[in-house]
């Protein structure tokens, strides 16, 4: 089924940035657009608490959980045109700070996942912001403290990842819903949205990571379907049978979790689950990958050639390639000093770097980027190891960083700046690498940031390569390409 939301990469002049509010006002909402369509437009940025459809005016109000989440939505859609079911919609901060009373032109309506049904021993569970894999075993671990869980069925719908979970008693289901509604399975993501189902009994035919009957251990596992899923983008992203969490390099196995250093807000043990790049991007984009990206590549090491040996080193290559994923190791070849091997965190990140950096001009020469025949770079004295570098960008906020991935542009975004930085100081720090057309210092979420517009992509690329992670007033600044066309 075609996804109702398409993100068109184009400047959006009609997105208004007014006084921030966690309530967003959306215009041009046609009759074909439903509440869950608007939910998908914003749920990658945080929990959507309420949606009000103002049908008489073709408008809607959407309330995020907090103001930072709403700001993230607005900042993203300043450069990406939001389009729902083929119709462009336009948004701005609402004058409402909280949706507490019905609007005069419409009634307050709850999201489908919040509708009250009569108590039942079967729960319908929707997982919002699912950045980590959610399997039957994860759900069983979360819900079983509240009673005996008989059956679980997971499935993918337009509202996102959902599950039906059957308790042995209505009392257990009610207790679980009252305790877990709105809670996160993992810190900061995988938010539970729970309502009672109107089903009377779940039918389970297979015991696997998608469906499980805990009262009948003798059920078979579902047989894989014929064909090679590696050649199918949806199989790569969503796994056999539509499972969005088919991770590269394996995934969680029943009863086979590893302890990690974090903790879950549900009072459970925390689990270290492999976080595949394609799965995070799918969560961020609703399954729509950028043009040219297949999501099926499994080669994580790149061979970069036609470099300028006297001007390049491992740190500068890290500064450039880390825009597209975490860097494990980099090795410049002694016998070919204009060649380097770069090992990315996974095949998806390597594909992003290959797609966006092939043919990019660096220090006057066009780089050649190809996938290497080597599966990895072995540690050695002449190999730079970045696997534990705090400058790797995708250890935190991976979904946000995937959304911002793009080919080199003329515009550089600078963050982690000193609080008292002046725009002239930013200009002076970067202008040795090219002509700065315009620059602006601004504040977002209480932190100083800047936009610097260069005369060409090559100049901006050189500035990023040379000045990312450099020092300004004892601050280690961070540079990234911006999709904005002007300051």
């Amino acid at each position: 089924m075609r996804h109702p939301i398409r993100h068109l990469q184009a400047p959006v002049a009609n997105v208004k940035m007014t006084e921030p509010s966690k309530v967003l006002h959306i215009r041009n909402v046609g009759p074909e657009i439903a509440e869950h369509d608007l939910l998908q437009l914003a749920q990658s940025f945080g929990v959507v608490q309420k949606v009000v459809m103002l049908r008489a005016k073709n408008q809607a109000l959407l309330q995020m959980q907090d103001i930072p989440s709403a700001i993230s939505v607005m900042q993203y859609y300043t450069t990406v045109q939001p389009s729902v079911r083929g119709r462009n919609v336009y948004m701005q901060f609402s004058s409402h700070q909280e949706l507490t009373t019905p609007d005069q032109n419409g009634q307050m309506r709850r999201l489908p996942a919040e509708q009250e049904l009569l108590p039942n021993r079967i729960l319908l569970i929707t997982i919002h912001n699912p950045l980590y894999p959610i399997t039957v075993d994860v759900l069983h671990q979360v819900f079983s403290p509240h009673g005996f869980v008989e059956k679980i069925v997971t499935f993918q719908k337009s509202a996102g990842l959902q599950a039906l979970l059957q308790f042995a008693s209505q009392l257990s289901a009610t207790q679980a819903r009252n305790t877990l509604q709105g809670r996160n399975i993992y810190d900061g993501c995988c938010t539970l949205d729970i309502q009672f189902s109107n089903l009377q009994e779940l039918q389970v035919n297979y015991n696997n990571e998608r469906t499980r009957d805990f009262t009948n251990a003798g059920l078979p596992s579902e047989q894989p379907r014929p064909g090679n899923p590696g050649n199918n983008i949806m199989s790569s992203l969503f796994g056999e049978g539509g499972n969005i969490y088919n991770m590269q390099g394996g995934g969680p196995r029943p009863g086979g979790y590893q302890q990690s250093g974090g903790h879950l807000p549900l009072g459970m043990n925390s689990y270290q689950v492999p976080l595949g790049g394609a799965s995070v991007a799918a969560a961020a984009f609703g399954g729509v990958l950028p043009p040219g990206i297949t999501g099926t590549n499994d080669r994580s090491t790149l061979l970069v050639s036609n470099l300028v040996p006297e001007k390049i080193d491992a740190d500068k290559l890290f500064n450039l390639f880390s825009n597209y994923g975490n860097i494990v190791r980099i090795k410049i070849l002694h016998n070919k000093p204009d060649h380097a091997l770069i090992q990315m965190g996974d095949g998806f990140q390597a594909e992003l770097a290959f797609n966006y950096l092939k043919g990019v001009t660096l220090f006057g020469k066009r780089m050649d980027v190809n996938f290497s025949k080597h599966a990895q770079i072995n540690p050695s004295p002449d190999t730079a190891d970045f696997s534990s570098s705090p400058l790797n960008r995708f250890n935190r906020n991976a979904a946000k960083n995937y959304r911002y991935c793009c080919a080199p542009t003329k515009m550089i975004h600078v963050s982690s700046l000193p609080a008292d930085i002046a725009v002239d100081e930013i200009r002076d720090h970067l202008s040795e690498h090219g002509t700065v057309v315009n620059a602006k210092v601004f504040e977002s979420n209480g932190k100083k940031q800047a936009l610097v517009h260069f005369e060409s992509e090559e100049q901006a690329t050189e500035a990023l390569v040379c000045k990312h992670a450099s020092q300004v007033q004892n601050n280690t600044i961070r540079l990234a390409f911006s999709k904005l066309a002007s300051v």
Side-chain angles (χ1 to χ4, degrees), residues 122-127 130 132-141 143 149 151-157 160-166 185 192 199 202-214 222 238 240-246 257:
I122 299 178
L123 299 176
L124 173 61
I125 305 159
T126 302
I127 312 294
Y132 290 89
I134 304 299
T135 64
V136 161
D137 291 276
V138 172
L139 290 173
H140 185 266
Q141 189 82 6
F143 283 85
V149 176
K151 301 174 183 178
I152 301 177
V153 175
T154 64
F155 49 93
Q156 189 72 29
K157 300 287 284 186
L161 177 69
Q162 293 188 310
L164 288 164
L165 185 147
Q166 179 175 311
I185 296 178
L192 294 168
L199 298 176
L202 288 185
Q203 179 67 39
V204 176
N205 298 318
Y206 302 99
N207 283 339
N208 51 40
E209 289 194 352
R210 297 187 299 277
T211 65
R212 187 76 54 82
D213 186 341
F214 294 93
E222 185 175 7
F238 302 115
E240 284 293 308
N243 181 3
I244 190 173
Y245 302 103
N246 182 32
Y257 298 102

Side-chain angles (χ1 to χ4, degrees), residues 186-240:
Y186 296 96
D187 289 338
C189 65
C190 302
T191 305
L192 294 168
D193 203 345
I194 307 169
Q195 69 180 88
F196 293 110
S197 170
N198 56 8
L199 298 176
Q200 298 304 309
E201 183 76 26
L202 288 185
Q203 179 67 39
V204 176
N205 298 318
Y206 302 99
N207 283 339
N208 51 40
E209 289 194 352
R210 297 187 299 277
T211 65
R212 187 76 54 82
D213 186 341
F214 294 93
T215 68
N216 185 1
L219 289 177
S221 298
E222 185 175 7
Q223 296 298 316
R225 288 174 291 183
N228 180 12
N231 294 326
N232 183 303
I233 181 172
M234 297 311 287
S235 294
S236 172
L237 283 178
F238 302 115
E240 284 293 308

Side-chain angles (χ1 to χ4, degrees), residues 72-108:
S72 296
V73 176
M74 291 297 297
Q75 287 179 335
Y76 179 65
Y77 289 120
T78 57
T79 55
V80 176
Q81 172 64 63
S83 179
V84 184
R85 299 193 181 275
R87 178 192 289 263
N88 288 348
V89 297
Y90 308 97
M91 63 177 66
Q92 64 190 68
F93 289 118
S94 171
S95 58
H96 298 280
Q97 292 296 315
E98 185 93 20
L99 294 179
T100 55
T101 58
D103 190 273
Q104 61 181 355
N105 295 311
Q107 292 185 341
M108 184 73 68

Side-chain angles (χ1 to χ4, degrees), residues 158-174:
S158 58
L161 177 69
Q162 293 188 310
L164 288 164
L165 185 147
Q166 179 175 311
F167 276 100
S169 71
Q170 177 184 308
L171 180 63
S172 296
T174 302

Side-chain angles (χ1 to χ4, degrees), residues 350-371:
E351 187 179 20
L352 285 174
F354 167 79
N355 185 73
Y356 287 127
L357 293 179
K358 59 184 178 183
V360 166
T361 300
L362 179 60
F363 299 121
K365 299 183 71 174
R366 288 172 60 86
M367 287 192 308
D368 290 328
V369 182
N370 293 286
F371 293 104

Side-chain angles (χ1 to χ4, degrees), residues 1 32 35 108 211 265 282 317 323 325 350 398 416 448:
M1 186 180 72
E32 75 279 11
E35 290 176 358
M108 184 73 68
T211 65
L317 288 172
N323 281 269
S416 300
K448 280 294 180 70

